[in-house]
Amino acid sequence: MLDNEGRLDVVFGHLHEGVLVEDETRHVKFANKAFTDIFIPGLDPALLVGGDCDATAVDTAPMFKDGQKWLDATRAVVASKRPMSNDVWETVDGRWLQRDYRPRVNDDVVFEHIWLYRDVTLEHASRTVAGLDASNGERTGFRNWSDAIERLGKRAKSIGALEKGAMACVKVRQLDVLNAEFGYEVSDSILIALLEELRGEFGQVNVERLKGTVFGVLTTDANAHELMSRIHQLLDPTRAIGDQFVYLNTVIGVATTENIQDFTDGQEMFECARQAVREAGHRHADVVLEAEMRIQSRLQNELVTRLDEALGAGEFQLYYQPIVRLVDGEVLGHEALLRWHHPERGLLTAGDFIIAAEEVGVISRIDRWVIHEACREVSQVLQDRDCFVAINLSPMSSDGGDELLEVLRNSMAAFNVGPTQISIEITETAIARDQLEFVRLITQIRAMGVNVSIDDFGVGASTLATLKDIPFDRLKLDRSFTAAIDEPRVQEIIRVAQVIGEILGGQVIAEGVETQAQSDLLQECGVHIGQGWHLGMPAPL
Ligand code: C2E
Ligand code: MG
Ligand code: MG
């Protein structure tokens, strides 16, 4: 491909990176516009072709602050025949240019030299302010952030903060605005001042400057709210810069032993504080990490790192809960509900981890597995019986809707499952989120002869009025209605939902039937199908 000049142009012409390709004898084969923009703005890159690169490098060297060094480094890396990455040089006009080198080697001969150049002035500047610049690090209290985290973690252990204590991550936001307005030295000096103030209050060794504009603060006092108000009181948000004032926006995330009693080490305590400050950033408010948030974040991590392993190891399993005719208990179908036999946490129900799976974007992989598994199991049990299995599709799945349809079609064909043996459940909330897309998906599913249920109806964003635009076969009334069926007003609502459901689509199913009394009242309201613990618990095949 690299020999085809025309295609090269297409591939590299639009890159932001400057690309220079030299031939075996180091003459220019190709350069793109971004390259000339960096070195000779306005020059047509085609004019460079054929030029002698070493000679041009000699001419170019004065544009760098350390021109001779840059030239020596260029020649040295070419002689080495080895790739090089992230080599950064400052120009005399104050820019920072980063370059990568890739030799293409055949039989120990370099037949093509490829250079990529990027202007990293902005990133470099923010790196300096974040303290990654080694020369600057000592001054800003920042040497190496992983060392800083380790120090803080060890300290947490040695002062007993893991048993009783708290760690806060304090994040100064919008520092880039200050950078832009006053320059990096000013924002840097603000960060140094903040570090000193925090150290003055909490002790030199209990405060570290961490990554970017985040500070870690450690105390043996587990009261998170006290810690947060101490920090806010200390850090005066109004700062004078010359004769101007700026306002510092700080958010705090805290991990405390009051909420989490089993920190295994300081590193974990820090991870929790970091998660809290991340969340604080989203919420624009301080956050104290709750045990529940930690469990969710651990689950999210696991779903990302070992979903395939868990699926392969048989940790996931479908349980089936009967859907029943209330009057005589006849089983009309089953809903497949996902369970995770977690190696440490035991049996998790879908409610424990589906949201986490949606948040980290693995839900469509799970849905695909569920479709396949449900069809496989259905084919073993149902054979010709007139009974269906309902499969839940996640709200997020409409993006991959076509792909899911394909999986559904293939699985049904592979296991010889007929369309009336399968039903798909989609929650009302999901549909409301992207109604057009879901209506398209639902229409396609129904065209296959597969029924569609609207799940958890009545608690989502949509109303009875929008129902008329959504094609469906079953309406599953959210279990909150069943739970409150003692109230006459709720009975009225159920009656209306039943009538409308019937007019628009078909069957209405009440979820969460836990007692015979509820079953009786439902039937009085005209609802004849139910699902719930009273009628049958979810169980494996
Ligand atoms: P859902 O589809 O509304 O499923 C009913 C949920 O209510 C199930 O929780 C079930 O165990 C629970 N339930 C059943 N009967 C009763 C009862 O009488 N009382 C009470 N209080 N609860 C009852 P589960 O299994 O934790 O699932 C929660 C949600 O997770 C499901 O709500 C569904 O939206 C989703 N889900 C379940 N399995 C899957 C799956 O395979 N894929 C996807 N994408 N979502 C799933
Ligand atoms: Mg469901
Ligand atoms: Mg439901």
Side-chain angles (χ1 to χ4, degrees), residues 335 392 425 427 455-457 476-479 511 531:
E335 176 171 10
N392 290 282
E425 298 196 359
T427 64
D455 205 353
D456 302 346
F457 179 74
K476 298 189 78 175
L477 265 189
D478 188 73
R479 67 163 182 265
E511 300 188 290
Q531 179 182 349

Side-chain angles (χ1 to χ4, degrees), residues 143-257:
R143 274 148 294 202
N144 176 320
W145 70 279
S146 58
D147 286 354
I149 291 164
E150 203 183 317
R151 277 198 299 279
L152 209 55
K154 280 190 180 147
R155 177 93 185 138
K157 189 166 182 200
S158 71
I159 60 176
L162 297 178
E163 287 78 47
K164 183 173 172 291
M167 195 186 287
C169 277
V170 182
K171 182 171 172 57
V172 184
R173 305 166 81 201
Q174 295 161 331
L175 211 71
D176 46 343
V177 178
L178 289 187
N179 286 341
E181 191 149 353
F182 300 100
Y184 300 103
E185 296 211 331
V186 168
S187 35
D188 224 14
S189 65
I190 290 179
L191 290 176
I192 294 166
L194 291 178
L195 181 70
E196 267 150 27
E197 288 161 24
L198 286 167
R199 286 191 162 159
E201 171 77 9
F202 293 95
Q204 186 77 10
V205 285
N206 295 328
V207 179
E208 293 282 355
R209 170 114 181 257
L210 305 175
K211 208 177 182 181
T213 56
V214 177
F215 299 92
V217 179
L218 189 63
T219 67
T220 47
D221 178 358
N223 187 324
H225 293 281
E226 210 155 273
L227 174 59
M228 293 189 303
S229 67
R230 249 174 100 187
I231 293 172
H232 279 306
Q233 269 170 21
L234 181 72
L235 301 182
D236 181 356
T238 318
R239 305 266 152 168
I241 297 176
D243 53 1
Q244 292 195 53
F245 285 95
V246 296
Y247 191 80
L248 286 186
N249 184 341
T250 2
V251 283
I252 305 174
V254 176
T256 161
T257 54

